Amino acid sequence: MIMAMVTVTINGKVLSVPAGITVLQAARDNKIDIPTLCFMEKLDPHASCRMCVVEVEGARTLQHACATKVRDGMVIKTDTDKVRASRKMTLELLLSNHNVDCHHCLRQGASKCDDLDPRLCESCFFCDCERDGFCQLQTLAREYKVDVLPFT
Amino acid sequence: MKNGGLLDALLALQAQDGYLTEAALIDLAAQQGRTLTDIYDTASFYSMLRFSPNAETWDVPVTEGTAGNGEGETRIALRNVGKISPESIEDYIAAGGYTALQKARETDREELISTIEEQSLLRGRGGAALGSGSMLVLDETHNIVDHLLEVARFFRHESCGKCSPCREGTMRIEELLEKLASGKGTQRDIDLIASLSDYMQQTCFCPLGQSATTAFMSALKLFPEDFAAKLNKEA
């Protein structure tokens, strides 16, 4: 069976992707990273965390990559200042109402080279991340330079 | 056949007494071998059945004193009481009912747009939006921040909580406005409201969150002096 293909432009790269897949899938298939929190593979997208927002040319608002299907001729930008500012605000809002200081991890330094210990400390015991050994919130908070939370 | 004959019996009772009295309903329940709850269930479903006397037997108090144009209002509001039978649609039409609907049907689109936009001058003046068609008039003795707090409360209450910007954002904006309204706010709080508003308009999942901040953004643009007046003077 020949799959119908559409042409999309992501961050200036012209890509040919199968019709019907999501923007997130198209980006990840082509090694372009879009951060997600609420997205889980094999489940229907929930599109509620708003971490995966991207700019789509012609759209009035930022679009969620996890639940937006690719259309032919779509021009997508995943890493503009506007998108990054939005994701940072999302993280700040989420972390303001979070019982662990994820963005101030004692083991994780300012960069990967500064990390004291790749394992997470016990103050994360509230979360599943301690069990999984990986905290997506922490990783994103570091990437988006979340420091002092604006809300109390 | 659960309700067979019940509606007819209820209508007959109403025709007899003018409305459904409790005593009559208790008798009816006994007659038909049903519970009173069962009878009420049916009787309260139909809007033509009533449990209190019809309007024509009401005592209408006429307001005296300073509450507006009392006499005129009474005359207009109650002029049809007793003249129209609430059960007859012909009576209602004969007394001028549905003329607004007829006008709405006969008005064409262009005429309607000109009424709304040009004659009423409601759209686009000073960046204001008519929104859902309601208007609120505040005089200059009100500070807009106090009213915005009400708007913020409304949206915090309405937010369904699905997406993070709306769930957290409406809550934070309310918090910041509460702080401002109580005179403890700083310039930083105003800036935060502005950036949160901008963020929510761009990022929220549905149009509720996207438009929740319209009032804050236009107030910040149009009434900066009201915000300034609310700032904490000591800080």
Side-chain angles (χ1 to χ4, degrees), chain A residues 43-84:
Chain A
L43 288 187
D44 284 344
H46 197 250
S48 64
C49 74
R50 319 309 286 171
M51 271 313 284
C52 69
V53 288
V54 293
E55 261 187 77
V56 175
E57 220 174 77
R60 190 169 49 87
T61 57
L62 297 174
Q63 303 289 303
H64 36 239
C66 68
T68 306
K69 297 249 164 78
V70 287
R71 287 187 306 271
D72 200 33
M74 216 176 191
V75 181
I76 302 152
K77 290 179 187 134
T78 68
D79 207 26
T80 61
D81 285 350
K82 190 172 156 187
V83 166
R84 289 189 74 89

Side-chain angles (χ1 to χ4, degrees), chain B residues 21-38:
Chain B
T21 60
E22 196 176 337
L25 290 178
I26 292 170
D27 285 349
L28 183 66
Q31 265 174 38
Q32 300 220 345
R34 297 167 193 265
T35 61
L36 192 57
T37 315
D38 201 16

Side-chain angles (χ1 to χ4, degrees), chain B residues 186-229:
Chain B
T186 58
Q187 184 59 42
R188 183 176 161 275
D189 298 323
I190 299 180
D191 297 343
L192 256 180
I193 292 174
S195 59
L196 261 179
S197 299
D198 197 37
Y199 158 77
M200 283 175 65
Q201 195 190 41
Q202 281 298 315
T203 312
C204 282
F205 182 87
C206 84
L208 182 117
Q210 288 163 14
S211 61
T213 60
T214 318
F216 313 129
M217 288 160 97
S218 74
L220 280 165
K221 199 170 84 192
L222 298 170
F223 301 101
E225 67 282 358
D226 279 17
F227 283 88

Side-chain angles (χ1 to χ4, degrees), chain B:
Chain B
M1 292 300 285
K2 188 172 164 254
N3 285 336
L6 180 57
L7 186 57
D8 289 339
L10 287 167
L11 282 169
L13 275 181
Q14 178 159 297
Q16 182 193 313
D17 299 337
Y19 66 102
L20 299 171
T21 60
E22 196 176 337
L25 290 178
I26 292 170
D27 285 349
L28 183 66
Q31 265 174 38
Q32 300 220 345
R34 297 167 193 265
T35 61
L36 192 57
T37 315
D38 201 16
I39 304 274
Y40 264 114
D41 197 36
T42 306
S44 58
F45 177 80
Y46 294 100
S47 57
M48 74 249 194
L49 297 172
R50 51 186 176 269
F51 298 105
S52 55
N54 204 5
E56 34 203 332
T57 59
W58 285 353
D59 269 344
V60 179
V62 177
T63 324
E64 285 176 26
T66 54
N69 189 2
E71 273 177 48
E73 283 172 15
T74 311
R75 186 168 53 79
I76 293 167
L78 301 175
R79 67 182 165 193
N80 289 331
V81 170
K83 289 185 191 162
I84 303 173
S85 160
E87 277 143 36
S88 157
I89 201 162
E90 289 79 16
D91 255 24
Y92 178 61
I93 292 170
Y98 295 124
T99 42
L101 180 64
Q102 194 175 2
K103 190 175 175 229
R105 287 186 55 139
E106 284 166 2
T107 309
D108 72 354
R109 196 168 151 265
E110 298 305 315
E111 202 182 325
L112 189 67
I113 291 172
S114 99
T115 313
I116 294 170
E117 290 190 1
E118 286 150 33
Q119 294 173 29
S120 70
L121 297 174
L122 281 175
R123 192 168 160 193
R125 276 179 69 198
L130 189 54
S132 54
S134 63
M135 260 179 120
L136 181 80
V137 180
L138 300 172
D139 71 10
E140 63 283 355
T141 58
H142 287 81
N143 188 307
I144 198 77
V145 176
D146 298 322
H147 173 60
L148 288 179
L149 181 56
E150 295 302 312
V151 177
R153 288 215 168 107
F154 171 79
F155 280 108
R156 193 258 301 134
H157 181 260
E158 289 299 303
S159 175
C160 77
K162 172 182 165 120
C163 75
S164 23
C166 184
R167 180 186 65 241
E168 305 296 322
T170 50
M171 184 259 276
R172 294 300 175 186
I173 288 186
E174 188 197 352
E175 213 172 70
L176 292 166
L177 281 167
E178 240 164 33
K179 196 173 159 198
L180 272 175
S182 62
K184 292 177 195 140
T186 58
Q187 184 59 42
R188 183 176 161 275
D189 298 323
I190 299 180
D191 297 343
L192 256 180
I193 292 174
S195 59
L196 261 179
S197 299
D198 197 37
Y199 158 77
M200 283 175 65
Q201 195 190 41
Q202 281 298 315
T203 312
C204 282
F205 182 87
C206 84
L208 182 117
Q210 288 163 14
S211 61
T213 60
T214 318
F216 313 129
M217 288 160 97
S218 74
L220 280 165
K221 199 170 84 192
L222 298 170
F223 301 101
E225 67 282 358
D226 279 17
F227 283 88
K230 283 286 190 184
L231 287 179
N232 185 358
K233 301 292 180 304
E234 288 152 31

